[in-house]
Amino acid sequence: MPQTKLQNVVYTIIMALIMVYGMICYNVALNTGGVTNATFAMALHELPIMAPIAAILEFFLVEKLATRLAFTVVRPTDRPQVITYAISTMIVCLMCPTMSLIATLLFKVPSFGTWVQTWGLNMPMALIWQLLFAGPLTRLIFRNLFRGQLSAAAAEHTEH
């Protein structure tokens, strides 16, 4: 997991790109009646708008709040994987309604009902996508990008 501000920024950007692209693909498929090869290209049109919004929200607001909320359910002494899943779940619980609202305002005829429907359709997919695909893929990419730095920091941590 990120240990410096730079690493946290990189981690957040990777996560936002993977998470947002997957969710845009899902919403394009919902709006067009299914997944086709065109779905993946169509999703790229919204990505430059939605990914920066998600990264900024996550970095400045959601990450800290989600971590605090997660630690109402888990303890610092719990297994790291349990803590990771708790934080990831809380991030989805905060990001999904927020990003659904933003997408509703930007890309749909906005109404309360449209937002609630968008949120309701997105929530199960966002949770599954985050816990089973986007989260593990982001951590894999991140570990490979910062392999030397992370192993050096881990070694230094175990020496103390």
Side-chain angles (χ1 to χ4, degrees):
M1 296 304 294
Q3 297 169 344
T4 67
K5 276 289 189 206
L6 174 63
Q7 289 176 0
N8 196 25
V9 169
V10 171
Y11 183 88
T12 301
I13 290 169
I14 295 167
M15 179 65 77
L17 286 169
I18 294 170
M19 194 68 197
V20 170
Y21 183 68
M23 291 307 298
I24 294 170
C25 287
Y26 173 69
N27 279 278
V28 168
L30 287 177
N31 294 336
T32 60
V35 178
T36 66
N37 289 341
T39 302
F40 303 100
M42 291 166 61
L44 291 173
H45 295 290
E46 291 180 27
L47 190 63
I49 298 164
M50 297 302 282
I53 292 170
I56 289 166
L57 275 171
E58 166 115 15
F59 189 78
F60 290 106
L61 294 173
V62 172
E63 180 184 351
K64 288 176 183 67
L65 180 56
T67 301
R68 275 186 292 202
L69 289 171
F71 280 105
T72 66
V73 179
V74 297
R75 295 179 305 263
T77 56
D78 286 336
R79 291 180 50 207
Q81 296 89 340
V82 172
I83 294 169
T84 298
Y85 294 142
I87 293 169
S88 295
T89 299
M90 293 302 173
I91 288 171
V92 171
C93 288
L94 296 169
M95 289 293 285
C96 187
T98 306
M99 293 301 290
S100 294
L101 177 62
I102 292 166
T104 298
L105 294 172
L106 292 177
F107 304 112
K108 299 181 177 195
V109 178
S111 72
F112 180 74
T114 302
W115 169 57
V116 170
Q117 180 176 350
T118 302
W119 175 13
L121 291 170
N122 283 333
M123 189 68 184
M125 182 61 177
L127 192 56
I128 291 167
W129 182 242
Q130 169 56 241
L131 293 177
L132 301 180
F133 299 99
L137 180 58
T138 298
R139 289 188 292 276
L140 175 68
I141 292 168
F142 179 79
R143 278 193 308 269
N144 284 319
L145 283 176
F146 290 97
R147 180 174 291 139
Q149 292 177 27
L150 296 174
S151 57
E156 181 179 313
H157 182 21
T158 56
E159 289 175 8
H160 294 285

